[in-house]
Amino acid sequence: MQENASGTPRRLGSTVDRRRFLGTTAAIGAASVIGLSGIGTARASGNELWSFETGDLVTSSPTVVDGTVYLSSSDHHVYAIDATSGKEVWSFETGDTAWSSPNVVDETVYVGSGDNNVYALEAATGEEVWSFETGNSVGSSPTVLDGVVYVTSQDGNVYALDAAAGGERWSFETESWFSNALVAVDETVFVASNDHTLYALDATTGDERWSFELEEGIPSSPTVVGETVFFGFYDHVYAVDVTSGEEQWSFQIDGPIDSSPTVADGTVYVGSTDANVYALDASDGGEIWSFETGRWIYSSPTVADETVFIGSHDRHVYALDATDGDEVWSFETGGQVDSSPTVVDGVLYVGSRDGNVYALDAGVSGSSECSRVTQGALGHHDDWAAVAAAAAASTSADGAADADSSDGGSDDGGSTDSGSDGDSSSDDGGSEDGLPGFGIGGALAGLGGGAYLVNRRLTDDSEHR
């Protein structure tokens, strides 16, 4: 098999003329997600539109908002790249390896780094707004909802931070480090730790609601759709009840699962280190089809216009028919593809271990509409950014209204180290049990929600299982 490649030098941001890109700003709310799925499918392509060379591996997954591609590189930088031309807009240097996938909400980029910090950057300029230092590397992608940034660290903690100022609201300690991201849906944060446990935490306080524990295995990031949490755990894909954490079904695979599942139209898609992509029935876990690539898969799939897109360690990005798993096209990069693709307006964006970010003609005219992307994890696009920004604005408005109607309790200048201090995310009609209901996150989850496999190992192939 081919060895890991760093790629040959290439001019930054080579430009390819192409059709109109990102002409329409996404509508706020889940209705925009439905609208994307109605756009017709062209199929077949995989042609390169442009590539952008960084200084090292790119395992981060792209986020595309307002015509700009945001991602991280192991060269210690976070990049903003023009989505049409592939030219650099700005770059921000962190103190160590950066492989976290950025989350972009309300004109702010939230991203982690190997220098132990979570950063908030101005989306337009890349200037630092704030940083928060954890006790170890932050390889996972932050999740932003209701004005709160949720993120994991390899210090074994889950953190909830104020999105505006970066102050800690709460932290939850587990017995091991994190290699994956979490997902926040309404009042609950779902996160998988390398202590072999999936946790459901109260989004306001950080208190544990339930946990799902196995004897071994490193779990992949979860995704939430309707009343079910889906995640990979060693050699199984699991579906558990969102309220109780009780197992609904499991599906065994012939290799460990680092890829995070995504759900679209009642089907769970996931990759495995057995080199296969699987499509499973979301209701019972029955296998619908599988597709074999040339090597193991750490990339997490995305779905757009009935096409599944995923990367493989055989150096290829694949487009597969979502119905039967047949290959539509494939594109070879110069290195293994751990990055999870994001499709926006018919263009697929993905990173490679050859150090490049690629923009490919996806062969479809729509955008990613699966749970991984529409809940804002492992790379996302405008729809999530609009929904999350609206949620934050709604939360702020509710908080102001509460303050005006109160008799002089603590104001918005109080400390942010308590989940109940100044966090009104649970005040907006949430159920008392705090479980996902019919709020913004719940609406997205019902359509097919999201999650993020973040810190896929940056070691060489020989260091993988």
Side-chain angles (χ1 to χ4, degrees), residues 227-246:
E227 297 302 313
T228 307
V229 185
F230 302 90
F231 60 99
F233 220 139
Y234 190 54
D235 59 354
H236 282 75
V237 178
Y238 287 94
V240 303
D241 184 87
V242 75
T243 303
S244 64
E246 294 182 1

Side-chain angles (χ1 to χ4, degrees), residues 5 82 95 176 188 247 253 261 278 283 303 326 370 376 395 421 432 437 455:
D82 185 274
S176 186
T188 307
E247 181 179 328
I253 293 176
Y278 291 92
S283 64
V303 183
D326 288 345
C370 56
T395 300
D421 189 6
E432 284 194 58
N455 182 6

Side-chain angles (χ1 to χ4, degrees), residues 141-192:
S141 172
T143 293
V144 186
L145 191 63
D146 293 339
V148 181
V149 180
Y150 301 97
V151 67
T152 63
S153 169
Q154 291 195 22
D155 65 10
N157 285 279
V158 182
Y159 292 95
L161 311 175
D162 183 84
E168 180 179 325
R169 295 196 174 193
W170 56 256
S171 62
F172 176 84
E173 185 176 7
T174 72
E175 296 181 359
S176 186
W177 51 281
F178 287 95
S179 60
N180 299 307
L182 48 77
V183 60
V185 178
D186 282 346
E187 302 302 322
T188 307
V189 175
F190 301 92
V191 61

Side-chain angles (χ1 to χ4, degrees), residues 47-72:
N47 296 325
E48 181 179 329
L49 302 176
W50 54 256
S51 62
F52 175 89
E53 186 180 17
T54 74
D56 207 338
L57 314 176
V58 179
T59 58
S60 166
S61 301
T63 285
V64 186
V65 174
D66 292 337
T68 304
V69 182
Y70 301 91
L71 53 82
S72 304

Side-chain angles (χ1 to χ4, degrees), residues 394-407:
S394 175
T395 300
S396 297
D398 290 343
D402 289 344
D404 290 340
S405 63
S406 69
D407 58 358

Side-chain angles (χ1 to χ4, degrees), residues 12 34-35 76 95 100 133 160 187 191 194 221 256 271 297-298 301 377 382 409:
L12 291 178
I34 299 174
H76 300 192
S100 169
E133 186 174 6
E187 302 302 322
V191 61
N194 292 318
S221 297
I297 298 172
Y298 295 114
D382 294 83

Side-chain angles (χ1 to χ4, degrees), residues 14-57:
S14 56
T15 305
V16 177
D17 291 333
R18 55 179 294 269
R19 55 182 171 72
R20 172 190 60 82
F21 179 76
L22 286 176
T24 304
T25 302
I28 295 177
S32 60
V33 182
I34 299 174
L36 288 171
S37 63
I39 302 175
T41 303
R43 301 296 276 262
S45 185
N47 296 325
E48 181 179 329
L49 302 176
W50 54 256
S51 62
F52 175 89
E53 186 180 17
T54 74
D56 207 338
L57 314 176

